[in-house]
Amino acid sequence: MGSIKASLKAINEAVRQQKWEEVLTQTSNVIERDPKNYQAYVFRAFALDKKNQIDLAEAAYKKATELRADPQAWQGLIKVYQKQGPVSLVKYHHAALQLADLFKSADDMYKCQDVIDKFVDFARTHGDRSQYVQALHIILPDSPIYSALEGRLPHPAKTYETMAQIIEVDEKKRINTLIGERRTRLGAKLSEVTVEVNREVLGQSKLGWIYEQLILWSNDDDVRRQYEEKLLQFRYDRLLVLPAPEKGAELEVVQKLANDMVIIKHPFKLAWDIAVEWQDCKEIHDWDVNVLNEYCAHFPDSDLYRVLTGFMTSDFSPFPKKTDSTTPAKVDATQELDESEDDEDGGAPTSVIPYTDEDRLLMMTEGISTTNSLLAHRLMAEYYQHLEEHESTVELMRKAWNIMLAETEKTGKAFTNANQAFMLYLATALVFYQSPRNHGEAKHLFDKVLENDATSTAAMIGVGLIYEEEEEFDQAIDFLTRALKGDPGNLRVQAEVGWLYALKGDYTRGKAELESLLPTMISQPVSKDLLAQTQYRLGCCVWNIDPSTAARKSRNGAYVYFIDALKSNFSYAPAYSSLGIYYDDYAKDKSRARRCFLKAVELSSAEVESAQRLAKSFAQDSDWDRVELIAQRVVDSGRVKPPPGSKKKGISWPFSALGIAELNKQDYAKAIVSFQHALRITPDDYHSWVGLGESYHHSGRYIAATKAIQNAQTLESGKDDGDTWFTKYMLANVKRELGEFDEAVDLYRSVVSQRPEEEGVAIALMQTMVENALDCIEKGLFGKSIDLATSTLSYAVTVSEPIVNSFNFWKAVGDACSVFSQVQGRAKDFPVEDTRKLFDVTDQETVYGALQEIDGVGTEVVFAKGISPEDEKLGVDLTRSLHATILAHKRAIHLTSQDVHAHAVAYYNLGWAEYQAHSSLPRSVRVQSSRYQKAAVRCFKRSIELEAGNADFWNSLGVITSEINPSVAQHAFVRALYLNERSPHAWTNLGALALLQNDVQFANEAFTRAQSNDPDYAHAWVGQGFVALLYGDVREARGLFTHAMDISESSSLLTRRQYPTSMFDHILTLTQTDVTALIQPLFALTQLHRLKPQDVPYRHLLTLFQERTDDHDSAIPILEATCEELEGDYEATETPQSLARFALAKTDLARSYLAAGNNASAIECGEMALELSSDASSKELTRDQRIKARLSAHLTVGLAQYFDGHADAAVTYFETALEESEHDPDAACLLAQVLWATGTEDARERARTVLFDVIEKDPSHIQSVVLLGIIALLDVDEESLEAVVSELQALRTSDKATDAQRSHIGNVFRAVAALDENNTDVEVLTQIQNDVMLHPHLPHGWSRLGDISGDEYPADMALHVALKSIPPKGQIEAIELADAYAGTGSAADAQVAILVAPWANSGWESLGDAVAR
């Protein structure tokens, strides 16, 4: 023990000398010897502390405190904690309490307080705000040391207030920080984040407890009230954010705090709002009037004050009125001037008490507009219900219901009674508001009220009124009777019961019931509406008890009650309706009746009968604006559509009237909707179907219009024809818009037969026939178009005089006449007599005098009589039709002098008629500006003067002046594009003008713009084709012309000229011609010939295509007429060009005669062609043209001579042809064949020589080699045959050989094999098989293989490959296809062969063999 003390002394000395390592060593030794030595642990902790080994020092001090309750160790431990800083503040808190307790035990209160004060100061200085708050708990009453230091420490209220202030700031900051962080998350909503953060922070907050303790310890009433308010606000805020299951307990706390503050009358608005609002009384009078008065006194600026004051001062308020002392005295003007300055910028709030009902309503309306108070909404609803402001009640209650649901969701409180009250107010208002639209909803609400309160009188009355409206009178009487048991003095319900008996048909009992109530109503202060209603209903009973005319006409019957009703309430609408019916039906005073109906509708939109009669009256006056106004008012009333399940029928006439009014305003979309509504209510409403069809038609929905009109026609049974013609007319209009002109014409004719004087129908019939004719021209039905135009003119003669004097009539006549000038091939069918009747007027100079000094067009040509020569007949007929067209449009100009727009259109139409006349002139005449062209320019200029904003007028002026004045034309096109930049016509015409001026690049751009605006406009593609030609791209041009042909109409002359021309140029470059490539150009030229039969060049081109399709019979008449016309032209002009065209035409005619078998005519024409082209020095034909023409003529004449039996003459022509054509190989072959056919040895030797000469010049000429092979076979010249066979072996696989030539080569090889004595049948079969192997896609090899082998398979294969070679896939001829069919041997295929080629023998022979078998 002594050694330990010595060691402790040594340790103490080492401490003084600050030898900390020695201290640690010696203390370790002491602790080893005495582990419970307190002083050694203290010294060791002290040394460790000095060496900054804080954690070890803390452990040593803690060990020392465990060994002895001595202040030294705790003081050392506190110093360690102070060095560790705020991290060890909790440990410091514990150590300070322990040290203070030791000093308390030692009765050293000074040191005890000093320890606590230093701890609090350290926490305030070094810790954060939350640690400081936590540290303050050490000086609170619940601290272990508080009892010892009470009086030495700050008052608890002060400490609690400090804690509250710190926590308030920290929690507010934390809430804002967390909201800012979490609102940036994906999908986060600010409202949800705010609630979540508040729930998290307020749920963990200790503010509530601190407020409660502060209120408990505070001696200052003001501070206590302040923190009572804060406590209530905190609890209320916490209630709002708590989850629904946890709201119940908090709700009770909040309500208790609020009620306590109200009891002590502390003016904290939140507390009073909660205390007043959350009472949720069943009836309004259940609220404590004293509390309400005190609320008004405390909060005169609140919205609830305004509503409460307005309601409580009203006459029907259930609360007792305030004493007179509370009523503010009136203040005169002088007193107002002496008021204090408090009135300007502050002062005490002043209560305002309304004096009048208007002020009261204004005050309550201002208050309810900005408040969410449920009590305020109940009071306002009660007030509105008293005023019968049902619409306002509905809006208010829907808003109140949303507020109540939101309040319940926020606070968790169920406002059961408020919910019941809101449902009653809303349901009662819905019974009367827009009745009966809302009856379904009202009944549902009443039923929900009765589920919770089966004795609710208001609910039963409401259900009864609904049943009354739905004509369930027995049920209505039952409910209202039950309601009377709860309220027997209710006069309104009694009157309703009496009226229900009347509605059931028991007018006598109803009259008695209502009469018994009148004295009471008159004596008691009842509402004027109820009194007027009862008097009116009594009048209705009297009206229906005796329905005779005399009784109803009497002014002592029902009339008296209606007048009394108006005296009681001048604004009672049903009485006006009944008086209107009285004046309209019995007093025969239409003026008074209209005024009564108008007043009834103004007062109430529910007066449907008045509205209907008034609408009919306005409709008769064509006042559609008023009709629409009245119909819309009835629709908005909600009475047109009964609620689901109602026995009442819907009212469709307001929708029909709306549709008709909107139709007259050309608002077709709204008209469609209105008529659809009408038809949903009344599906068999004939006029609504008609109106719907007309609306669909005008809006462009033609299919829907057709269906609607057809539905209307199904309802026409039993109706007079005079009432049903309009549906036919409308259906005809729809068919016309759909392009179904034939059906439209038939329908128009049907209507015209019933109503011949209907101008619109007659004009529509003529316009439709003309449109049909023009459509037929576009489709290529030229004959039908002529028939329709003829019918139009024939009908025009029969119409009445008023119709004749209309612009549309003469436009239709002009268009009908123009059909004959478009289809010039049928100009001879122009109905001259009908036209003369149409244009026969007395004052012709006035009627047809427009521009006559320029164009010179009068009635002379139309009325000229006489027989024209056949060759001039076409020109005369064409001129007559053109002049008739011009005269018709001049007549239109004369008739439209008072209508600027129609006048402009008439000049526009005349301009095109003049231009059409100019275009029909011969090409030579059109070189210079004609009188028609000048007149056209004047017409288009005049139309532009009248209507400068029409792009079509400018475009037309550009077209007509393109060749006269390009500058004007360019300006016109640019102006047209300015007005309509998307016009493909204007862009195309501008491109054509650019081409005329050699601006190819700009033309290309213009045509491209036209194509982009309308890809289906053919002329833009033709223009691009011209551009491609100018650039030298013939293939591109041909493709563009082909596309233009595909998309163009049959009336497009330009495409029908350019496309066949480009195709013919292309065909001339081909060695083989697909027959399908000839069909479309042939059709195009045929249509062009019918449209323009005088167009000689294209007429000639047509015959060339006909020749290539073997249609010689059609080509001969055209060529004959062409030759005759060209001969006359040559005789008149004697130009080289005329001579050249005449010579070429004669050459082509000679070939056609030869093909048709007319050898004599062929010889005659051929010789004339040779004679015309005999002069080689003349320049009418180029060298190539002359060679080809003379070669054709020589060959034609030679063949004709040969077929006539003049072989020598034929040889002469062939030899001449051979010489002039520079030994053309094909001509040489033809000459060789004719020479061989003569049979003389010299001729045959000459044939051999000719063929050898051909082969010498062109060894690959297949026909020459084949002919030499045949000659060698006939001559049995094996040497020559061997050479020919060798040559044919090489040519057999040549790409230059056609299918026919390959077939001929195969025939030669087969003949060589068959005629060789050394060969067998196998060699012949081998040759045929070689044909099949080399050309498996050709049918001739398979057919021959089938003939020799007798098998079915080769014949079937021949047919199979033949079908695949049908044009356009191949080049097989009809005869070859027929042979393939006939080769199968079946009767069915033989019949097909006959059908394909009836002139071929193979089909007939195969059929005979099949029948024989």
Side-chain angles (χ1 to χ4, degrees), residues 1144-1169:
L1144 293 176
K1146 278 294 184 180
T1147 303
D1148 295 337
L1149 179 58
R1151 287 199 308 276
S1152 297
Y1153 277 137
L1154 176 64
N1158 191 348
N1159 298 325
S1161 298
I1163 293 171
E1164 180 184 353
C1165 288
E1167 288 178 344
M1168 181 175 288

Side-chain angles (χ1 to χ4, degrees), residues 465-518:
L465 293 176
I466 292 174
Y467 278 128
E468 175 185 339
E469 191 66 32
E470 294 178 354
E471 300 182 1
E472 297 284 351
F473 302 124
D474 293 332
Q475 291 177 314
I477 292 172
D478 176 57
F479 270 91
L480 293 178
T481 304
R482 286 163 55 189
L484 282 174
K485 293 179 181 178
D487 188 6
N490 194 320
L491 293 176
R492 182 179 294 276
V493 178
Q494 293 180 40
E496 286 295 333
V497 173
W499 178 240
L500 283 170
Y501 285 116
L503 292 177
K504 286 180 62 178
D506 192 351
Y507 296 107
T508 304
R509 182 173 179 179
K511 177 173 177 290
E513 295 276 350
L514 294 172
E515 279 182 333
S516 66
L517 295 174
L518 268 184

Side-chain angles (χ1 to χ4, degrees), residues 790-988:
T790 304
S791 300
T792 303
L793 295 174
S794 300
Y795 174 72
V797 177
T798 63
V799 300
S800 59
E801 185 67 24
I803 300 176
V804 173
N805 294 323
S806 64
F807 164 74
N808 288 327
F809 173 83
W810 287 104
K811 183 182 182 303
V813 170
D815 292 342
C817 293
S818 70
V819 171
F820 294 92
S821 58
Q822 292 184 56
V823 187
Q824 296 179 7
R826 295 288 299 275
K828 63 181 184 299
D829 297 325
F830 184 69
V832 179
E833 295 301 325
D834 290 338
T835 307
R836 289 170 178 167
K837 293 178 182 177
L838 283 172
F839 293 107
D840 189 11
V841 293
T842 55
D843 191 6
Q844 294 184 357
E845 293 183 359
T846 303
V847 174
Y848 305 120
L851 301 179
Q852 188 172 3
E853 71 281 1
I854 298 175
D855 62 7
V857 176
T859 59
E860 296 81 7
V861 175
V862 174
F863 285 91
K865 296 184 180 180
I867 301 175
S868 304
E870 190 64 31
D871 56 346
E872 298 178 4
K873 184 169 178 55
L874 176 59
V876 172
D877 292 334
L878 178 59
T879 304
R880 184 177 283 121
S881 66
L882 289 169
H883 280 216
T885 304
I886 293 173
L887 290 174
H889 292 305
K890 286 185 177 183
R891 183 76 173 269
I893 290 174
H894 172 72
L895 294 172
T896 57
S897 58
Q898 304 302 320
D899 187 342
V900 175
H901 175 70
H903 206 52
V905 174
Y907 268 108
Y908 172 75
N909 295 332
L910 177 60
W912 278 117
E914 298 279 7
Y915 183 68
Q916 190 175 24
H918 169 74
S919 301
S920 299
L921 294 174
R923 191 180 302 273
S924 58
V925 180
R926 279 186 283 146
V927 174
Q928 297 179 349
S929 179
S930 67
R931 52 194 175 96
Y932 299 119
Q933 191 175 29
K934 293 177 182 178
V937 173
R938 290 287 298 274
C939 288
F940 290 134
K941 285 184 177 180
R942 179 57 178 159
S943 64
I944 291 172
E945 290 174 3
L946 295 170
E947 189 176 342
N950 193 311
D952 291 335
F953 295 173
W954 286 100
N955 178 58
S956 302
L957 179 62
V959 172
I960 201 70
T961 58
S962 294
E963 298 177 354
I964 304 173
N965 192 332
S967 299
V968 173
Q970 181 181 3
H971 172 73
F973 289 138
V974 171
R975 185 65 181 173
L977 291 171
Y978 171 77
L979 296 171
N980 181 13
E981 64 175 350
R982 299 186 61 84
S983 171
H985 300 80
W987 280 111
T988 303

